[in-house]
Amino acid sequence: MLPMMLVLAILLPLVAAIGCYFLRVSAIRSLIVLCTGACLAAVSLALLGQGSFTYSPGTILGISWDSLVTLADFALLFVMLYYAFKLKNQLIKVFVILQIIPLAAFELFIVDHAAEVPAIFADSLSLIMVAVISVIGSLICFFAIPYMKEHEEHLHLVKSRQPQFFFFLVLFLGAMNGLVLSNNILWLYFFFEVTTFCSFMLIGHDQTEIAVKNATRALWMNALGGVCFVFGMIWAYAETGSLDLQVIIQSGSMGGAMLIPLGLLCLAGFTKAAQLPFQSWLLGAMVAPTPVSALLHSSTMVKAGVYIVLRLAPAYAGTFLSQGIALCGAFTFLACAAIAISQSNGKKILAYSTISNLGLIICCAGINTAWSITAAIILIIFHAASKALLFLCVGTIEHGIGSRDLEDMHGLYLKMPRTAIITIVGVLTMLLPPFGVLLGKWMAIESASGDMFVITMLALGSALSLVFWARWAGILLTAPLREKVPAESQSILTRLSLTALAGIAVVLSLFSPGIYTKLIEPMVGKTYEITAGVFSSPVGVFAVYPIFMILAAAFIYSWIETKKSVNVQNSQSYMCGANVKEPNVQAFIGPMNVPVDLKASNYYMKEFFGEEKLTLWVNFAALALIVLMLGGAL
């Protein structure tokens, strides 16, 4: 039964992707995506219920799976090299060649292929990741079915590119499942590179000049991460004599020379997770269709980076490398939260907040205590649900009103009531207790209490995050009262995806104490000493259930009072002069008796937190911290 579930989790998406590409009938492609998503979600939950395991596959037609992975790895690298020449990009050429040559030497002359290495290893972290990838990723794929139809109508395409789009979108899910389940580090590297190539193809999907430019940047930056991975992998093998990731982690706990390859592997994770100064590739990914943004930012690509750093955490615990990782993550969390304040573009706010929260997860890995690791896993789960929801909401809003700017979302409830309510739910799950994201931040700050620099950056970053989330929620809630709001037309799959993700973000928060006690505590307890903390009582120090009851009561009270106020007579605000008395006109008589239109806007503090003002300096500071981190390891 286990082999079949693993085949479905990793290889089914490949088969489905091929079907999406070659069976070019829209209804058949939609059916393939729906069936694959449902199957992946069911299998991921079944694996989660199964618990920890290791597994080594046999052979296929007399050929070992290790050999097939090796062949596929080199084939993929040469495909990437082909695109490097096609794009005439020297950086990609150099970085891909710097992977091919050392990897070939490693495979041919160094690795002992006769050694037995379990290809698959799963514990709670891996299985939680599989569930996040499969459930949330599948809902994003469902959303993409009607979305891409509208997207291509807006582009006025003569020939649909959906077969290629869904090929890479669905393949992405299998690659990520393979990555988080891999125990053989060569397998991990292969799936790492598959995600790099898939992201490159998806970001450049629309084939516009800006899309190709940003896809190229994503490819060379992640290829740089691939170089770090190859050299870190070879060095780790030289120190341990094993490709077994668990052996490498245990050897790393002794410190010494193992810190250098661990530092290189973590740097590969930094590039994949778009940490400063590598954030520009993920910001550029915003040009891609919304399902791509949601998939990259929530449940797949960037989570591969934080997974690697978090997986290796026991190996570098108590070292200078660990302290350096905590500082780098905390700085990214603070800097990107600051830049997000100056943004009015909904996608850019989500992009910067994603990079910021990934920095927080990496910081937790660097703090490297039981509570910080717990916080990191909690954040992975809840950030994925809330951020996927918000990206899909922004995409829906953009199709509905033709803009993703926050200032154009005033009174959204009167135009798109269902989407507006779901978007508010998504924002509140990022903002308020007792939802999981704030719970994770709470635990992270609590775990950093012994480090003045880290805890200061985490506290400031959390405060800055409050500003842009509260502003967004406030904008969505501003709408004049009306007795009747027009119904919103929405496809079934769009409604299903948005409603399901909103439900996951809220309902999982209700079960957060159970998630901790059943899944996280047993795994963390094997490596770290568990002490009393957030969940030290049935309701928890965080008081999950009492706060939920207070929120529910407040919501019911607000709803009743709002219904009562529908018939209240409203009057226009005083606007520095006599109001223009015309229906549906908001203006006042200004100087020289000339009507002046009312324009209300939020303050984005661009003179303090503007992207163009901070980016250069924060990148320089982040690079200095990375040099310090790796220098300490040396």
Side-chain angles (χ1 to χ4, degrees):
M1 189 63 180
L2 177 61
M4 179 55 66
M5 287 194 289
L6 292 173
V7 167
L8 291 174
I10 301 172
L11 292 182
L12 175 62
L14 172 61
V15 176
I18 294 170
C20 287
Y21 187 79
F22 288 105
L23 301 175
R24 302 198 167 203
V25 177
S26 178
I28 295 176
R29 182 171 58 247
S30 299
L31 184 62
I32 290 172
V33 173
L34 290 171
C35 292
T36 302
C39 186
L40 283 177
V43 166
S44 69
L45 296 177
L47 285 171
L48 193 60
Q50 168 129 358
S52 301
F53 60 85
T54 58
Y55 178 73
S56 294
T59 60
I60 180 169
L61 300 176
I63 304 172
S64 71
W65 280 97
D66 290 344
S67 299
L68 290 175
V69 167
T70 299
L71 290 172
D73 207 350
F74 280 105
L76 178 60
L77 287 171
F78 278 106
V79 169
M80 291 167 65
L81 190 61
Y82 161 77
Y83 276 97
F85 279 96
K86 182 179 179 180
L87 296 166
K88 299 178 182 178
N89 188 285
Q90 301 304 317
L91 283 174
I92 300 174
K93 293 176 187 176
V94 170
F95 292 149
V96 173
I97 290 170
L98 282 176
Q99 293 178 70
I100 292 173
I101 295 174
L103 187 63
F106 184 55
E107 290 275 11
L108 292 173
F109 305 113
I110 300 174
V111 172
D112 178 12
H113 290 286
E116 291 290 331
V117 178
I120 303 294
F121 170 82
D123 59 2
S124 292
L125 175 59
S126 299
L127 297 175
I128 287 171
M129 288 293 297
V130 170
V132 167
I133 294 159
S134 299
V135 175
I136 294 176
S138 295
L139 287 170
I140 293 170
C141 291
F142 295 170
F143 176 90
I145 294 171
Y147 180 92
M148 289 307 295
K149 183 176 182 294
E150 291 183 33
H151 180 75
E152 293 193 340
E153 287 173 358
H154 290 163
L155 294 178
H156 306 293
L157 294 184
V158 177
K159 183 179 179 181
S160 174
R161 301 193 196 114
Q162 289 189 49
Q164 177 176 308
F165 179 84
F166 280 98
F167 175 87
F168 288 105
L169 199 71
V170 175
L171 180 61
F172 218 138
L173 301 183
M176 274 300 301
N177 281 339
L179 187 150
V180 299
L181 289 170
S182 292
N183 182 57
N184 185 322
I185 197 168
L186 281 169
W187 285 46
L188 179 62
Y189 167 71
F190 167 66
F191 288 117
F192 184 90
E193 290 302 283
V194 174
T195 62
T196 292
F197 186 68
C198 285
S199 66
F200 162 69
M201 297 301 293
L202 288 168
I203 293 168
H205 171 75
D206 285 341
Q207 298 179 11
T208 60
E209 183 180 351
I210 188 67
V212 172
K213 178 183 175 181
N214 288 335
T216 302
R217 183 195 295 123
L219 185 56
W220 77 253
M221 279 196 175
N222 283 286
L224 172 61
V227 173
C228 295
F229 199 114
V230 167
F231 282 95
M233 173 175 63
I234 294 172
W235 200 324
Y237 184 84
E239 293 293 328
T240 64
S242 177
L243 295 171
D244 191 320
L245 190 59
Q246 297 306 307
V247 171
I248 291 171
I249 291 171
Q250 292 161 13
S251 301
S253 62
M254 295 182 285
M258 269 303 295
L259 287 182
I260 304 169
L262 289 173
L264 289 171
L265 291 170
C266 287
L267 185 57
F270 277 27
T271 61
K272 188 71 76 174
Q275 295 297 279
L276 296 176
F278 309 110
Q279 78 281 12
S280 59
W281 79 259
L282 192 61
L283 296 171
M286 296 299 96
V287 302
T290 292
V292 176
S293 302
L295 204 62
L296 293 182
H297 284 254
S298 62
S299 60
T300 57
M301 182 77 163
V302 292
K303 288 296 193 299
V306 296
Y307 169 79
I308 289 170
V309 178
L310 192 59
R311 171 59 74 197
L312 296 173
Y316 53 75
T319 66
F320 185 84
L321 175 62
S322 192
Q323 295 172 358
I325 288 171
L327 280 171
C328 289
F331 181 74
T332 295
F333 176 61
L334 172 60
C336 289
I339 297 175
I341 286 179
S342 68
Q343 304 300 311
S344 64
N345 182 309
K347 265 195 172 184
K348 269 209 166 182
I349 293 171
L350 295 177
Y352 272 114
S353 71
T354 294
I355 300 166
S356 178
N357 279 282
L358 296 173
L360 179 59
I361 298 170
I362 285 175
C363 175
C364 289
I367 294 170
N368 231 326
T369 63
W371 284 117
S372 71
I373 299 299
T374 300
I377 299 172
I378 289 285
L379 284 166
I380 284 173
I381 297 169
F382 291 99
H383 174 263
S386 296
K387 195 56 63 73
L389 172 63
L390 286 169
F391 266 110
L392 299 189
C393 285
V394 169
T396 305
I397 292 167
E398 186 177 13
H399 275 186
I401 65 174
S403 173
R404 62 178 72 153
D405 194 283
L406 261 60
E407 296 303 321
D408 296 325
M409 295 184 194
H410 285 283
L412 183 68
Y413 179 75
L414 300 180
K415 303 169 187 173
M416 305 175 71
R418 183 183 295 109
T419 303
I421 291 172
I422 292 176
T423 307
I424 291 169
V425 171
V427 171
L428 294 183
T429 59
M430 294 292 296
L431 174 67
L432 290 180
F435 298 113
V437 174
L438 189 63
L439 172 60
K441 286 182 181 178
W442 180 300
M443 297 177 72
I445 294 172
E446 184 179 277
S447 65
S449 58
D451 190 322
M452 182 183 70
F453 294 107
V454 171
I455 197 171
T456 300
M457 287 191 282
L458 295 190
L460 289 173
S462 295
L464 293 173
S465 300
L466 177 68
V467 175
F468 58 80
W469 289 129
R471 178 169 59 202
W472 197 342
I475 287 173
L476 292 170
L477 288 167
T478 55
L481 297 170
R482 285 187 185 175
E483 290 188 25
K484 293 183 179 180
V485 177
E488 180 182 352
S489 176
Q490 208 172 62
S491 74
I492 294 174
L493 288 177
T494 301
R495 187 182 306 178
L496 168 68
S497 301
L498 296 183
T499 306
L501 285 169
I504 288 171
V506 173
V507 174
L508 278 185
S509 296
L510 275 169
F511 294 100
S512 52
I515 292 171
Y516 169 72
T517 55
K518 299 294 184 182
L519 295 175
I520 301 175
E521 185 180 34
M523 183 196 74
V524 173
K526 292 178 181 178
T527 309
Y528 303 88
E529 182 182 353
I530 301 292
T531 56
V534 173
F535 295 118
S536 57
S537 71
V539 295
V541 173
F542 201 76
V544 171
Y545 300 126
I547 295 176
F548 256 114
M549 287 187 281
I550 292 170
L551 276 179
F555 174 80
I556 293 169
Y557 174 77
S558 301
W559 185 264
I560 293 171
E561 291 300 310
T562 301
K563 287 292 185 182
K564 288 180 183 178
S565 63
V566 169
N567 297 319
V568 171
Q569 189 69 30
N570 295 314
S571 61
Q572 285 187 311
S573 303
Y574 174 70
M575 297 182 291
C576 306
N579 292 351
V580 173
K581 295 181 179 179
E582 293 182 17
N584 300 320
V585 173
Q586 288 195 322
F588 63 92
I589 304 300
M592 308 300 292
N593 288 322
V594 176
V596 179
D597 290 333
L598 171 66
K599 183 179 180 182
S601 175
N602 283 275
Y603 180 39
Y604 291 92
M605 297 180 276
K606 291 189 177 182
E607 63 271 31
F608 303 110
F609 301 116
E611 194 174 20
E612 65 285 349
K613 287 185 175 292
L614 293 184
T615 298
L616 177 63
W617 298 107
V618 298
N619 281 350
F620 179 79
L623 186 60
L625 286 172
I626 288 174
V627 171
L628 179 66
M629 176 187 82
L630 295 177
L634 288 170

